[in-house]
Amino acid sequence: MDENTQIRSEGGGPGELRRDARRNRLNVLRAAREVFRDRGLEATVHNVARRAGVSAATAHRRFPGRDALVEDLAEHAAGELTERFAELARTVPADLALERALRLVAAEAVATRVCAPDHRERFPERARALDEHVHRELHRLLAGAQEGGLVSAEITAQDLRLATSALAAAAAAEPDPERAGRSAQRLVTHFLRSFRGRG
């Protein structure tokens, strides 16, 4: 009995199958982030499947190879960031939203630092599009903080790009993930101090 037949025999319909597929995909992507962090680009889809607690066949159906996994992980990370940015914009003051967004970017730079350069090299156009999307959403938060006089009006979208580039460089320069995380977060603090408006 194949996997789909077994689920249907237990009462699951197409909607349940889709939910199971989405859940498996999300588990695999979360595991991929951890495995790439721990093992670097030597990690295989099989390694990721084991960490995710799914069969290798299930993982390979979603991601036929490491390139597909790296590409989907980058898109998932960008989507998660922008969702979190939107939530911050709705729920906290504008300057705090910008600060927390930059801290999320710093954390993500550490979490994906191994596969991010590989993604940019193999999928340059898609990587640029994802970067542009994240930066547009960051710029919305910056504009909101500037409107309230909480961030200097002189800060530009280019300043944000310099900040995120510095965060990525800090994450890549330190081999130990914990130290890399602390270094990236210190940089966020530095940039935020320079961004503050003076009334």
Side-chain angles (χ1 to χ4, degrees), residues 58-169:
T58 294
H60 276 285
R61 273 200 301 276
R62 306 281 177 260
F63 309 101
R66 189 176 59 78
D67 280 359
L69 190 54
V70 167
E71 173 70 352
D72 224 30
L73 179 58
E75 295 200 18
H76 178 71
E80 277 195 332
L81 280 176
T82 54
E83 285 178 12
R84 297 287 299 277
F85 295 169
E87 181 183 359
L88 288 169
R90 291 192 306 268
T91 58
V92 299
D95 60 332
L96 186 56
L98 179 62
E99 175 179 350
R100 290 184 180 175
L102 285 171
R103 294 200 183 281
L104 286 171
V105 170
E108 193 63 33
V110 174
T112 60
R113 62 191 178 146
V114 172
C115 57
D118 197 51
H119 176 249
R120 289 188 176 88
E121 179 181 338
R122 292 174 182 271
F123 310 100
E125 290 185 10
R126 187 61 188 144
R128 280 193 295 273
L130 290 175
D131 284 345
E132 287 297 321
H133 177 68
V134 170
H135 277 102
R136 277 196 303 273
E137 298 307 311
L138 272 177
H139 191 253
R140 290 181 199 273
L141 296 178
L142 171 64
Q146 288 174 322
E147 285 173 9
L150 301 167
V151 168
S152 170
E154 295 179 358
I155 303 303
T156 67
Q158 183 60 26
D159 292 316
L160 278 182
R161 290 179 185 280
L162 290 172
T164 56
S165 295
L167 294 175

